[in-house]
Amino acid sequence: MNREINVNLAIITVISKSNKRNNDKKVIRLKKILVLFTGGTIGSMKKEKSIDVDESTSAHLIEQYKCSPYAQDVEFELHQPLHLLSENIIPEDWHRFIAFINKFPLEQYEGVIVTHGSDTLPFTSACLSYAFRHSPVPIVLTASNYPLHHPKSRGLRNFAGSVDFILDQALPGIFVCFENEHGEMTIYLGTRLMEALPFTDEYAATYAIPFGRIVQQRLVRNDHEINPSIAEVRAKREPLPFLDRLKFSSEIMYIKPHPGLDYRYFMFSEHKPKAVLHDLYHSGTASTRGEAMFSLRTFIQHCRQHGIKLYMSPIKNASGDLYASSVELIEAGAVPIENTSVPASLVKLMLAYGTFSAADEIDRFLQGPPLFFESHAVSNE
């Protein structure tokens, strides 16, 4: 199910307990946050042994927040433009979601919260980071490890952390808020979130350096050289010049290496992709052994014969010290995407090949400056 449901759910006012007793004596001017529900685990319920999206959970989340010790004085405007488990998301859903957000004068809100499924959270956060790099307010994506009714669910706390982040700094841009296993409410830049681990549901940032944490409802920035400063995040960013025709292509092939990967299964007998993104092992390597069937180098040549570029990610510094196999792959024609997570790399390729058709336009876009801090210089030592 991916139709737009209950487009305008409600406008709900939350008054914290500390202000309720004075509510009759004065008018409290509340800050407004736009909340967009898209489904996912945070929007699901368990029925017998099946977990699936349920429309009632949107109101339940807000009710939980109102009755919680985390509640701040705020007004929520609620909408539900998507309603699906996030593993089912495709680029067409992103296009509709972007168009939906564009209906709102974002500058009239303190910020936007997007509740999302955890499976594809890093991909949607990268998508929105590119599409709304110019946002004048924070757009914060959040999720849950379990449905809201589950005692181990972090959904309510993650939502509350998102509210706290917005109300504290009002930093423009795209972020993800998710509590880690140590109980730390962690803030990630939207393009630096890695995929969650399958057995622990834990997220990490590139280089294991998140942007910051929420401590007592305040942002504490992670003071590390690869993180942008508060001033850099707050600096005005121009919208993409092609925003009115922005499109994400689903014609990018993504390949993850493993021992014995046989490239003969990717011979494009019927359909060929616009480009290939090849994942790498943690040291920036993939197989270059002599047998053609097991050699990425041979597959790169096959792609070139079909007019297809092959990109590699993640890789630190392509001009620094590399393993011999990595050097061979670059010499064979693979294009390294440096210091960028795989989700951010893949979504950027989807954007480049979906929006542009000319090779020189695609190259200029991909070789241009970062759109929203997706890449960063790191020592290769």
Side-chain angles (χ1 to χ4, degrees), residues 29 49 53 88 148 177 181 188 200 227 231 233 253 256 264 274 293 296 300 316 335 361 378:
R29 186 173 182 178
K49 291 188 177 295
V53 288
N88 295 325
L148 292 174
C177 179
E181 60 185 332
Y188 304 88
T200 63
N227 272 335
V233 176
M253 175 185 283
K256 190 171 180 65
R264 292 176 299 179
K274 290 183 176 180
M293 69 182 76
L296 175 53
I300 293 168
K316 292 181 183 178
V335 181
E361 287 184 303
V378 172

Side-chain angles (χ1 to χ4, degrees), residues 194-209:
M194 309 289 282
E195 290 188 75
L197 295 175
F199 298 107
T200 63
D201 306 319
E202 294 299 318
Y203 285 105
T206 52
Y207 291 93
I209 307 296

Side-chain angles (χ1 to χ4, degrees), residues 282-286 315 320-330 380:
H282 78 95
S283 53
T285 61
I315 194 165
D321 296 334
L322 299 173
Y323 284 91
S325 57
S326 304
V327 174
E328 283 187 55
L329 296 175
I330 294 173
N380 202 43

Side-chain angles (χ1 to χ4, degrees), residues 345-365:
S345 297
L346 179 59
V347 174
K348 197 168 187 179
L349 288 175
M350 296 170 76
L351 174 58
Y353 281 87
T355 303
F356 305 108
S357 55
D360 59 339
E361 287 184 303
I362 292 171
D363 289 343
R364 280 198 302 271
F365 172 73

Side-chain angles (χ1 to χ4, degrees), residues 36-106:
L36 305 177
F37 299 102
T38 68
T41 300
I42 197 169
S44 296
M45 289 189 68
K46 179 182 176 182
K47 298 175 181 177
E48 295 182 352
K49 291 188 177 295
S50 176
I51 298 172
D52 203 353
V53 288
D54 189 289
E55 294 178 40
S56 66
T57 56
S58 302
H60 180 67
L61 174 60
I62 300 302
E63 189 61 32
Q64 275 192 336
Y65 180 79
K66 287 172 60 178
C67 299
S68 76
Y70 317 116
Q72 294 209 59
D73 299 335
V74 66
E75 186 175 80
F76 296 120
E77 181 178 333
L78 313 179
H79 298 266
Q80 191 153 311
L82 295 175
H83 189 62
L84 72 170
L85 293 172
S86 76
E87 60 267 32
N88 295 325
I89 281 181
I90 58 175
E92 283 70 16
D93 297 314
W94 287 345
H95 299 152
R96 288 206 322 279
F97 192 38
I98 290 168
F100 186 84
I101 296 174
N102 277 327
K103 296 177 182 179
F104 297 90
L106 297 184

Side-chain angles (χ1 to χ4, degrees), residues 108-128:
Q108 294 183 14
Y109 301 87
E110 298 302 314
V112 181
I113 297 176
V114 177
T115 66
H116 197 279
S118 56
D119 281 350
T120 57
L121 181 61
F123 300 93
T124 298
S125 66
C127 163
L128 297 185

Side-chain angles (χ1 to χ4, degrees), residues 6 145 371:
N6 295 336
N145 54 332
L371 302 182

Side-chain angles (χ1 to χ4, degrees), residues 165 169 171-172 211 219-221 227-235:
F165 174 73
Q169 289 279 344
L171 279 181
F211 182 65
L219 172 68
V220 178
R221 176 182 167 273
N227 272 335
S229 66
I230 295 294
E232 288 174 311
V233 176
R234 205 178 289 283

